Amino acid sequence: IAALTQLLYDSQRSADIREAAIQALGTIHQPGALDALTQAALNLNDEGFVTEILTALGSRDFSETQGFFQNYLRSPTVPSDLRVAAVEALAQAQGDPTAFLLTLVSDPNADVRNAAAWALSATEATGNAGAQLLGLLQAESDAGVRARLYQALGNQESYDVPSVLTAVESEKDPAAQVAGLDLLAKTLAENPSTPGLQSFFDQTAIAQLRQIALSGPTSDERMTAIIALTRLAGTQPALQALQYVAQNATDPNVLRAAGNIANNPPHSLPGPGK
């Protein structure tokens, strides 16, 4: 630990060596390694190295790093981009950072809220905060954060489907809308008898996803639409939409993804009554 800490602070060493020292300290499960990393996060002025340190800290057991992250994120001297990096680092935490991340989804900074919602969607811990996240979603004014909140809801044990369906139907932002549609597609694929969802997709959402896949504003939105359709590719309407996209898409990534599923369709999904 002492040797690695010395390398970390040695400005004569290359960035690669110093970053390797940070990563090595992150894998040592002894109090001295944790102390070395937390002190370096507070004392170093190079944001690149601090970001690496935050990543190393974030991958450790949250029970041992929670105090550091609470104090770090409350500090008025920590710049916004490092607060975002600290929150994103918790996506890799061992243990369950859900409760702490939920407090950050109400942060005044939209970038921090976005990072917290993303971390909630990416953490290995499956949360039971569906009701809280839904309330935050309904109150959120930033479309990018809403998109992340839909993703975070997908990592919860349950959520109120009719309320989310209402929110998705009222979405005006393409990125938030397609994220919500993907969440509902995931729910329908996992629970085909969910009341109201099959008819919503058959009557409205499949056509919306097909249109987004073909002409969505960004590549991410077009690919998210393909992912949502792929979740339901065992149903005839979704498979037909993918076949149509495979014949008409101009985005090469979308064309390839849709063609792969259209040419190798999965087995049919069980539907209500089957």
Side-chain angles (χ1 to χ4, degrees):
I1 292 172
L4 290 168
T5 303
Q6 185 175 359
L7 285 174
L8 165 58
Y9 282 98
D10 189 347
S11 61
Q12 301 304 309
R13 298 283 186 172
S14 70
D16 288 345
I17 291 292
R18 297 174 73 184
E19 289 173 2
I22 293 168
Q23 293 163 8
L25 284 167
T27 66
I28 299 174
H29 297 288
Q30 294 177 16
L34 177 62
D35 291 342
L37 287 170
T38 56
Q39 288 302 311
L42 299 173
N43 294 326
L44 287 179
N45 294 320
D46 187 301
E47 290 195 2
F49 288 131
V50 175
T51 298
E52 290 288 338
I53 292 166
L54 294 171
T55 300
L57 286 167
S59 65
R60 298 175 74 94
D61 194 299
F62 185 61
S63 63
E64 68 175 1
T65 61
Q66 181 172 357
F68 165 79
F69 279 105
Q70 284 177 329
N71 293 330
Y72 189 81
L73 287 163
R74 289 172 182 165
S75 172
T77 62
V78 174
S80 176
D81 54 345
L82 287 179
R83 293 186 74 229
V84 169
V87 176
E88 290 178 343
L90 291 173
Q92 306 303 319
Q94 300 172 41
D96 189 355
T98 299
F100 178 62
L101 289 170
L102 277 171
T103 67
L104 297 169
V105 184
S106 300
D107 193 272
N109 186 315
D111 290 336
V112 172
R113 298 199 304 274
N114 190 303
W118 174 79
L120 282 165
S121 73
T123 179
E124 290 185 359
T126 300
N128 57 0
Q132 292 164 277
L133 285 170
L134 179 57
L136 291 165
L137 170 69
Q138 292 168 332
E140 180 57 59
S141 60
D142 187 283
V145 178
R146 289 201 306 276
R148 292 299 190 191
L149 286 169
Y150 285 118
Q151 294 170 349
L153 280 165
N155 200 27
Q156 306 306 304
E157 292 179 359
S158 64
Y159 65 89
D160 186 67
V161 174
S163 296
V164 171
L165 182 56
T166 298
V168 172
E169 288 179 316
S170 64
E171 279 290 353
K172 303 301 181 185
D173 180 81
Q177 180 191 42
V178 76
L181 290 172
D182 183 48
L183 169 65
L184 293 172
K186 177 177 181 288
T187 299
L188 181 59
E190 294 173 351
N191 301 285
S193 59
T194 303
L197 271 192
Q198 188 65 64
S199 60
F200 168 67
F201 275 91
D202 288 346
Q203 297 171 15
T204 304
I206 295 282
Q208 290 176 327
L209 289 168
R210 185 183 73 175
Q211 188 60 39
I212 294 169
L214 288 172
S215 58
T218 71
S219 178
D220 283 347
E221 290 159 24
R222 295 192 290 272
M223 287 304 298
T224 300
I226 291 296
I227 291 169
L229 288 169
T230 299
R231 296 187 193 280
L232 304 175
T235 66
Q236 195 61 29
L239 183 58
Q240 289 175 343
L242 284 165
Q243 291 169 338
Y244 184 87
V245 172
Q247 294 169 356
N248 295 278
T250 56
D251 182 325
N253 292 327
V254 168
L255 185 64
R256 182 166 53 251
N260 286 341
I261 301 300
N263 294 327
N264 300 282
H267 296 297
S268 297
L269 294 172
K274 292 186 180 179

